[in-house]
Coordinates of all heavy atoms in Angstrom, one line a residue:
M19 N -10.2 21.0 -1.4 CA -9.1 20.9 -2.4 C -8.1 19.8 -2.0 O -7.4 19.3 -2.8 CB -8.4 22.2 -2.6 CG -9.2 23.2 -3.4 SD -9.8 22.5 -5.0 CE -8.4 22.7 -6.0
K20 N -8.0 19.6 -0.7 CA -7.0 18.6 -0.2 C -7.4 17.2 -0.7 O -6.5 16.5 -1.1 CB -7.0 18.7 1.3 CG -5.7 18.1 1.9 CD -5.6 18.1 3.4 CE -4.4 17.3 3.8 NZ -4.4 16.9 5.2
T21 N -8.7 17.0 -0.7 CA -9.1 15.7 -1.1 C -8.8 15.5 -2.6 O -8.4 14.4 -3.0 CB -10.7 15.5 -0.9 OG1 -11.0 15.9 0.4 CG2 -11.1 14.1 -1.2
L22 N -9.0 16.5 -3.4 CA -8.8 16.5 -4.8 C -7.3 16.2 -5.1 O -7.0 15.3 -5.9 CB -9.2 17.8 -5.5 CG -9.0 17.8 -7.0 CD1 -9.9 16.8 -7.6 CD2 -9.3 19.2 -7.5
S23 N -6.4 16.9 -4.4 CA -5.0 16.6 -4.6 C -4.6 15.2 -4.2 O -3.7 14.6 -4.8 CB -4.1 17.7 -3.9 OG -4.4 17.8 -2.6
L24 N -5.3 14.7 -3.2 CA -5.0 13.3 -2.7 C -5.4 12.3 -3.8 O -4.7 11.4 -4.1 CB -5.8 13.0 -1.4 CG -5.0 13.2 -0.1 CD1 -5.9 12.8 1.0 CD2 -3.8 12.4 -0.1
I25 N -6.6 12.6 -4.4 CA -7.1 11.8 -5.5 C -6.1 11.8 -6.7 O -5.8 10.7 -7.2 CB -8.5 12.2 -5.9 CG1 -9.5 11.9 -4.8 CG2 -8.9 11.5 -7.2 CD1 -10.9 12.5 -5.0
I26 N -5.7 13.0 -7.0 CA -4.7 13.1 -8.1 C -3.4 12.3 -7.8 O -2.9 11.6 -8.6 CB -4.4 14.6 -8.4 CG1 -5.7 15.2 -9.0 CG2 -3.2 14.7 -9.4 CD1 -5.6 16.7 -9.1
F27 N -3.0 12.5 -6.5 CA -1.8 11.8 -6.1 C -1.9 10.3 -6.3 O -1.1 9.6 -6.8 CB -1.5 12.1 -4.7 CG -0.3 11.3 -4.1 CD1 1.0 11.7 -4.4 CD2 -0.6 10.3 -3.2 CE1 2.0 11.0 -3.8 CE2 0.5 9.5 -2.7 CZ 1.8 9.9 -3.0
F28 N -3.1 9.7 -5.8 CA -3.3 8.3 -5.9 C -3.4 7.9 -7.4 O -2.9 6.9 -7.8 CB -4.5 7.9 -5.2 CG -4.3 7.9 -3.7 CD1 -5.3 8.4 -2.9 CD2 -3.2 7.4 -3.1 CE1 -5.1 8.4 -1.5 CE2 -3.0 7.4 -1.8 CZ -4.0 7.9 -0.9
F29 N -4.1 8.7 -8.2 CA -4.3 8.4 -9.6 C -2.9 8.3 -10.3 O -2.6 7.4 -11.0 CB -5.1 9.5 -10.3 CG -5.4 9.2 -11.7 CD1 -6.3 8.2 -12.1 CD2 -4.8 10.0 -12.7 CE1 -6.5 8.0 -13.4 CE2 -5.0 9.7 -14.0 CZ -5.9 8.7 -14.4
V30 N -2.0 9.3 -10.0 CA -0.7 9.3 -10.7 C 0.1 8.0 -10.2 O 0.7 7.4 -11.0 CB 0.0 10.6 -10.3 CG1 1.5 10.5 -10.6 CG2 -0.6 11.8 -11.0
N31 N 0.0 7.7 -8.9 CA 0.6 6.6 -8.4 C 0.2 5.3 -9.0 O 1.0 4.4 -9.4 CB 0.3 6.5 -6.9 CG 1.5 6.5 -6.0 OD1 2.6 6.7 -6.5 ND2 1.3 6.3 -4.7
I32 N -1.1 5.2 -9.2 CA -1.7 4.0 -9.8 C -1.3 3.9 -11.3 O -0.9 2.8 -11.7 CB -3.3 4.0 -9.7 CG1 -3.6 3.7 -8.2 CG2 -3.9 3.0 -10.6 CD1 -5.1 4.1 -7.9
T33 N -1.3 4.9 -12.0 CA -1.0 4.9 -13.4 C 0.5 4.6 -13.7 O 0.9 4.1 -14.7 CB -1.4 6.1 -14.2 OG1 -0.9 7.3 -13.5 CG2 -2.9 6.2 -14.3
C34 N 1.3 4.9 -12.7 CA 2.7 4.7 -12.8 C 3.1 3.2 -12.6 O 4.1 2.7 -13.0 CB 3.5 5.5 -11.8 SG 3.7 7.2 -12.3
K35 N 2.2 2.5 -11.9 CA 2.4 1.1 -11.6 C 1.4 0.3 -12.4 O 0.3 0.7 -12.6 CB 2.2 0.8 -10.1 CG 2.9 1.8 -9.3 CD 3.9 1.2 -8.4 CE 4.6 2.2 -7.5 NZ 5.9 1.9 -7.2
E36 N 1.7 -0.9 -12.8 CA 0.8 -1.7 -13.5 C -0.3 -2.3 -12.6 O -1.4 -2.5 -13.1 CB 1.6 -2.9 -14.2 CG 2.3 -2.3 -15.4 CD 2.9 -3.4 -16.2 OE1 2.7 -4.6 -15.9 OE2 3.6 -3.1 -17.2
S37 N 0.1 -2.5 -11.4 CA -0.9 -3.1 -10.5 C -0.9 -2.4 -9.2 O 0.1 -1.9 -8.8 CB -0.5 -4.6 -10.3 OG -1.3 -5.1 -9.2
T38 N -2.0 -2.4 -8.5 CA -2.1 -1.8 -7.2 C -2.0 -2.9 -6.1 O -2.1 -2.6 -4.9 CB -3.4 -0.9 -7.0 OG1 -4.5 -1.8 -7.3 CG2 -3.4 0.2 -7.9
T39 N -1.9 -4.1 -6.5 CA -1.8 -5.2 -5.5 C -0.3 -5.5 -5.3 O 0.4 -5.7 -6.3 CB -2.6 -6.4 -6.0 OG1 -3.9 -6.0 -6.2 CG2 -2.5 -7.5 -5.0
V40 N 0.1 -5.6 -4.1 CA 1.4 -6.0 -3.8 C 1.4 -7.2 -2.9 O 0.4 -7.6 -2.3 CB 2.2 -4.8 -3.2 CG1 2.4 -3.7 -4.2 CG2 1.6 -4.3 -1.9
Y41 N 2.6 -7.8 -2.7 CA 2.7 -9.0 -1.8 C 3.5 -8.6 -0.6 O 4.6 -7.9 -0.7 CB 3.4 -10.1 -2.6 CG 2.6 -10.5 -3.8 CD1 2.8 -9.8 -5.0 CD2 1.6 -11.5 -3.8 CE1 2.0 -10.1 -6.1 CE2 0.9 -11.8 -4.9 CZ 1.1 -11.1 -6.1 OH 0.3 -11.5 -7.1
I42 N 3.1 -9.1 0.5 CA 3.8 -8.9 1.8 C 4.0 -10.2 2.5 O 3.1 -11.1 2.4 CB 3.2 -7.8 2.7 CG1 1.8 -8.2 3.1 CG2 3.2 -6.4 2.1 CD1 1.3 -7.4 4.3
C43 N 5.1 -10.3 3.2 CA 5.3 -11.4 4.1 C 4.5 -11.1 5.4 O 4.8 -10.0 6.0 CB 6.8 -11.6 4.4 SG 7.1 -13.1 5.4
N44 N 3.6 -11.9 5.8 CA 2.8 -11.6 6.9 C 3.5 -12.0 8.3 O 2.9 -12.6 9.1 CB 1.5 -12.5 6.8 CG 0.4 -12.0 7.8 OD1 0.4 -10.8 8.2 ND2 -0.5 -12.8 8.1
S45 N 4.7 -11.5 8.4 CA 5.4 -11.7 9.6 C 5.4 -10.4 10.4 O 5.3 -9.3 9.8 CB 6.9 -12.1 9.3 OG 7.7 -11.0 9.2
P46 N 5.6 -10.4 11.7 CA 5.5 -9.2 12.5 C 6.6 -8.2 12.2 O 6.4 -7.0 12.3 CB 5.7 -9.7 14.0 CG 5.4 -11.2 13.9 CD 5.7 -11.6 12.5
G47 N 7.7 -8.7 11.7 CA 8.8 -7.8 11.4 C 8.9 -7.3 10.0 O 9.8 -6.5 9.7
A48 N 8.0 -7.7 9.1 CA 8.1 -7.4 7.7 C 7.9 -5.9 7.5 O 6.9 -5.4 8.0 CB 7.1 -8.2 6.9
K49 N 8.8 -5.3 6.8 CA 8.7 -3.9 6.5 C 8.7 -3.6 5.0 O 8.6 -2.4 4.6 CB 10.0 -3.2 7.1 CG 10.1 -3.2 8.6 CD 9.4 -2.0 9.2 CE 9.8 -1.8 10.7 NZ 9.3 -2.9 11.5
K50 N 8.6 -4.6 4.2 CA 8.7 -4.4 2.8 C 7.5 -4.9 2.1 O 6.9 -5.9 2.6 CB 9.9 -5.1 2.2 CG 11.3 -4.7 2.8 CD 11.6 -3.3 2.4 CE 12.9 -2.8 3.1 NZ 13.2 -1.4 2.8
Y51 N 7.2 -4.3 0.9 CA 6.2 -5.0 0.1 C 6.8 -5.3 -1.2 O 7.9 -4.7 -1.6 CB 4.9 -4.1 -0.1 CG 5.2 -2.7 -0.8 CD1 5.3 -2.7 -2.2 CD2 5.3 -1.6 -0.1 CE1 5.5 -1.5 -2.8 CE2 5.5 -0.4 -0.7 CZ 5.6 -0.3 -2.1 OH 5.8 0.9 -2.7
H52 N 6.2 -6.2 -2.0 CA 6.8 -6.7 -3.2 C 5.9 -6.6 -4.4 O 4.7 -7.0 -4.2 CB 7.3 -8.1 -3.0 CG 8.1 -8.3 -1.8 ND1 9.5 -8.3 -1.8 CD2 7.8 -8.4 -0.5 CE1 10.0 -8.5 -0.6 NE2 9.0 -8.6 0.2
N53 N 6.3 -6.2 -5.5 CA 5.5 -6.2 -6.7 C 5.3 -7.6 -7.3 O 4.3 -7.8 -7.9 CB 6.1 -5.3 -7.8 CG 6.1 -3.8 -7.4 OD1 5.2 -3.4 -6.8 ND2 7.2 -3.1 -7.7
S54 N 6.2 -8.5 -7.0 CA 6.1 -9.8 -7.6 C 6.1 -10.8 -6.5 O 6.8 -10.7 -5.5 CB 7.3 -10.1 -8.5 OG 7.3 -11.5 -8.8
S55 N 5.2 -11.8 -6.6 CA 5.1 -12.9 -5.6 C 6.3 -13.8 -5.7 O 6.6 -14.6 -4.9 CB 3.8 -13.7 -5.7 OG 3.7 -14.3 -7.0
N56 N 7.1 -13.7 -6.8 CA 8.2 -14.5 -7.1 C 9.5 -13.8 -6.6 O 10.6 -14.3 -6.9 CB 8.4 -14.9 -8.5 CG 7.2 -15.7 -9.0 OD1 6.7 -16.5 -8.3 ND2 6.7 -15.4 -10.2
C57 N 9.4 -12.6 -6.0 CA 10.6 -11.9 -5.7 C 11.5 -12.6 -4.7 O 11.0 -13.4 -3.8 CB 10.1 -10.6 -5.0 SG 11.5 -9.6 -4.3
R58 N 12.8 -12.5 -4.9 CA 13.7 -13.2 -4.1 C 13.6 -12.7 -2.6 O 14.0 -13.5 -1.7 CB 15.1 -13.1 -4.6 CG 15.6 -11.8 -5.0 CD 16.8 -11.8 -5.9 NE 18.0 -12.4 -5.2 CZ 19.2 -12.3 -5.7 NH1 19.4 -11.7 -6.8 NH2 20.2 -12.8 -5.0
G59 N 13.2 -11.5 -2.4 CA 13.0 -11.0 -1.1 C 11.9 -11.7 -0.3 O 11.9 -11.7 0.9
L60 N 11.0 -12.4 -1.1 CA 9.9 -13.1 -0.4 C 10.3 -14.6 -0.2 O 9.6 -15.3 0.5 CB 8.6 -13.0 -1.3 CG 7.7 -11.8 -1.1 CD1 6.6 -11.8 -2.1 CD2 7.1 -11.8 0.3
S61 N 11.3 -15.0 -0.9 CA 11.6 -16.4 -0.9 C 12.1 -16.9 0.5 O 12.0 -18.1 0.8 CB 12.7 -16.8 -2.0 OG 13.9 -16.1 -1.6
N62 N 12.6 -16.0 1.3 CA 13.0 -16.4 2.7 C 11.9 -16.1 3.7 O 12.2 -16.1 4.9 CB 14.3 -15.9 3.1 CG 14.5 -14.4 2.7 OD1 13.5 -13.7 2.5 ND2 15.7 -14.0 2.6
C63 N 10.7 -15.8 3.2 CA 9.6 -15.5 4.1 C 9.1 -16.9 4.7 O 8.7 -17.7 3.9 CB 8.5 -14.8 3.4 SG 7.0 -14.6 4.4
T64 N 9.1 -17.0 6.0 CA 8.6 -18.3 6.5 C 7.2 -18.2 7.0 O 6.6 -19.1 7.5 CB 9.5 -18.7 7.7 OG1 9.6 -17.6 8.6 CG2 10.9 -19.1 7.2
Y65 N 6.6 -17.0 6.9 CA 5.2 -16.8 7.2 C 4.4 -16.9 5.9 O 4.9 -17.2 4.8 CB 5.0 -15.4 7.9 CG 5.6 -15.3 9.3 CD1 6.9 -15.2 9.5 CD2 4.7 -15.3 10.4 CE1 7.5 -15.1 10.8 CE2 5.2 -15.3 11.6 CZ 6.6 -15.1 11.8 OH 7.1 -15.1 13.1
K66 N 3.1 -16.5 6.1 CA 2.3 -16.6 4.9 C 2.5 -15.3 4.0 O 2.7 -14.2 4.5 CB 0.8 -16.5 5.4 CG -0.2 -17.2 4.5 CD -1.5 -17.2 5.1 CE -2.6 -17.4 4.0 NZ -3.9 -17.1 4.5
I67 N 2.5 -15.5 2.7 CA 2.6 -14.4 1.8 C 1.2 -13.9 1.5 O 0.3 -14.8 1.0 CB 3.4 -14.8 0.5 CG1 4.8 -15.1 0.9 CG2 3.3 -13.7 -0.5 CD1 5.6 -15.7 -0.2
V68 N 0.9 -12.7 1.7 CA -0.5 -12.2 1.5 C -0.5 -11.1 0.5 O 0.5 -10.3 0.3 CB -1.1 -11.7 2.8 CG1 -1.5 -12.9 3.7 CG2 -0.3 -10.7 3.5
K69 N -1.6 -11.0 -0.3 CA -1.8 -9.9 -1.3 C -2.5 -8.8 -0.6 O -3.5 -9.0 0.1 CB -2.7 -10.4 -2.4 CG -1.9 -11.1 -3.5 CD -2.9 -11.9 -4.3 CE -3.1 -11.2 -5.7 NZ -4.0 -12.0 -6.5
V70 N -2.0 -7.6 -0.7 CA -2.7 -6.4 -0.2 C -2.6 -5.3 -1.2 O -1.8 -5.3 -2.1 CB -2.0 -5.9 1.2 CG1 -2.2 -6.9 2.3 CG2 -0.6 -5.5 1.0
D71 N -3.5 -4.3 -1.0 CA -3.5 -3.1 -1.8 C -2.2 -2.3 -1.5 O -1.8 -2.2 -0.3 CB -4.7 -2.3 -1.5 CG -4.9 -1.1 -2.5 OD1 -5.5 -1.4 -3.5 OD2 -4.4 0.0 -2.2
I72 N -1.6 -1.7 -2.5 CA -0.3 -1.0 -2.3 C -0.5 0.2 -1.3 O 0.4 0.5 -0.5 CB 0.3 -0.5 -3.6 CG1 1.7 0.0 -3.4 CG2 -0.6 0.5 -4.3 CD1 2.5 0.2 -4.6
E73 N -1.7 0.8 -1.3 CA -1.9 1.9 -0.4 C -2.0 1.4 1.0 O -1.5 2.1 1.9 CB -3.2 2.7 -0.8 CG -3.2 3.3 -2.2 CD -2.0 4.2 -2.4 OE1 -1.5 4.8 -1.4 OE2 -1.6 4.4 -3.6
Q74 N -2.6 0.3 1.2 CA -2.6 -0.3 2.6 C -1.2 -0.6 3.1 O -0.9 -0.4 4.2 CB -3.5 -1.6 2.5 CG -3.8 -2.1 3.9 CD -4.4 -1.1 4.9 OE1 -5.4 -0.5 4.5 NE2 -3.9 -1.0 6.0
A75 N -0.4 -1.2 2.2 CA 1.0 -1.5 2.5 C 1.7 -0.3 3.0 O 2.5 -0.3 4.0 CB 1.7 -2.2 1.4
K76 N 1.5 0.8 2.2 CA 2.2 2.1 2.5 C 1.7 2.6 3.9 O 2.5 3.2 4.6 CB 2.0 3.1 1.4 CG 2.8 2.7 0.2 CD 2.6 3.7 -0.9 CE 3.4 3.4 -2.1 NZ 3.1 4.4 -3.2
K77 N 0.4 2.5 4.1 CA -0.2 3.0 5.4 C 0.4 2.2 6.5 O 0.6 2.8 7.6 CB -1.7 2.8 5.3 CG -2.4 4.0 4.8 CD -3.9 3.8 4.9 CE -4.7 4.4 3.7 NZ -6.0 3.8 3.5
D78 N 0.7 1.0 6.3 CA 1.3 0.2 7.4 C 2.8 0.5 7.5 O 3.5 -0.2 8.3 CB 1.1 -1.3 7.1 CG -0.3 -1.7 7.2 OD1 -1.1 -1.0 7.8 OD2 -0.7 -2.8 6.7
G79 N 3.3 1.4 6.8 CA 4.7 1.8 6.9 C 5.7 1.0 6.1 O 6.9 1.0 6.3
K80 N 5.2 0.2 5.2 CA 6.0 -0.7 4.4 C 6.6 0.1 3.2 O 5.9 0.9 2.6 CB 5.3 -1.9 3.9 CG 4.8 -2.7 5.1 CD 4.3 -4.1 4.7 CE 3.6 -4.9 5.8 NZ 4.1 -4.8 7.1
T81 N 7.8 -0.3 2.8 CA 8.4 0.3 1.6 C 8.8 -0.8 0.6 O 8.9 -2.0 1.0 CB 9.7 1.1 2.0 OG1 10.6 0.2 2.7 CG2 9.4 2.2 2.9
L82 N 9.0 -0.3 -0.6 CA 9.3 -1.3 -1.7 C 10.6 -2.0 -1.4 O 11.6 -1.4 -1.0 CB 9.4 -0.6 -3.0 CG 9.7 -1.4 -4.2 CD1 8.6 -2.5 -4.5 CD2 9.9 -0.6 -5.5
C83 N 10.5 -3.3 -1.6 CA 11.7 -4.2 -1.3 C 12.9 -3.8 -2.1 O 12.8 -3.3 -3.2 CB 11.3 -5.6 -1.6 SG 12.3 -6.6 -2.6
A84 N 14.1 -4.0 -1.5 CA 15.3 -3.5 -2.1 C 15.6 -4.2 -3.5 O 16.3 -3.6 -4.3 CB 16.5 -3.7 -1.2
W85 N 15.1 -5.4 -3.6 CA 15.4 -6.1 -4.9 C 14.7 -5.5 -6.1 O 15.1 -5.8 -7.2 CB 15.0 -7.6 -4.7 CG 15.8 -8.3 -3.7 CD1 15.3 -8.8 -2.5 CD2 17.2 -8.7 -3.7 NE1 16.3 -9.4 -1.8 CE2 17.5 -9.4 -2.5 CE3 18.2 -8.5 -4.7 CZ2 18.7 -9.9 -2.2 CZ3 19.5 -9.1 -4.4 CH2 19.7 -9.7 -3.2
E86 N 13.7 -4.8 -5.8 CA 12.8 -4.3 -6.9 C 12.9 -2.9 -7.2 O 12.2 -2.3 -8.0 CB 11.3 -4.7 -6.6 CG 11.2 -6.2 -6.6 CD 9.8 -6.6 -6.0 OE1 8.8 -6.1 -6.5 OE2 9.8 -7.3 -5.0
K87 N 14.0 -2.2 -6.7 CA 14.1 -0.8 -6.9 C 14.8 -0.6 -8.3 O 15.5 -1.4 -8.7 CB 15.0 -0.2 -5.8 CG 14.1 0.2 -4.6 CD 14.8 0.7 -3.5 CE 13.9 1.0 -2.3 NZ 14.6 1.3 -1.1
Ligands
ZN118 ZN1 10.6 -7.9 -3.4

């Protein structure tokens, strides 16, 4: 049953968002993920901007950027 509730959790999460792909700044100190690659929070990223799955970003301990809340 635990697996089932996890699946439901992810499903709800996915349907609430339009995309499951987010953008992160590939710097060692980056703690945020971004829904938009044009986000102003990414504009001062001096590292590479990479696309990752939102679940992966969350697993890495990243949270949604403050500009997009
Ligand atoms: Zn952002």
Side-chain angles (χ1 to χ4, degrees):
M19 285 313 273
K20 200 181 174 197
T21 308
L22 182 62
S23 53
L24 266 180
I25 289 168
I26 292 168
F27 174 77
F28 286 138
F29 181 73
V30 168
N31 236 7
I32 287 164
T33 50
C34 285
K35 313 239 181 213
E36 285 188 1
S37 170
T38 56
T39 302
V40 295
Y41 300 86
I42 60 166
C43 182
N44 194 24
S45 89
K49 292 270 193 297
K50 303 290 180 188
Y51 64 82
H52 308 263
N53 291 323
S54 167
S55 60
N56 299 319
C57 175
R58 49 196 297 191
L60 275 173
S61 63
N62 45 22
C63 173
T64 53
Y65 288 76
K66 209 175 157 193
I67 294 168
V68 290
K69 274 165 106 174
V70 295
D71 189 87
I72 190 167
E73 298 305 335
Q74 186 58 51
K76 286 179 179 177
K77 269 184 217 158
D78 290 345
K80 299 195 192 316
T81 55
L82 179 62
C83 127
W85 295 110
E86 294 169 59
K87 277 177 182 168

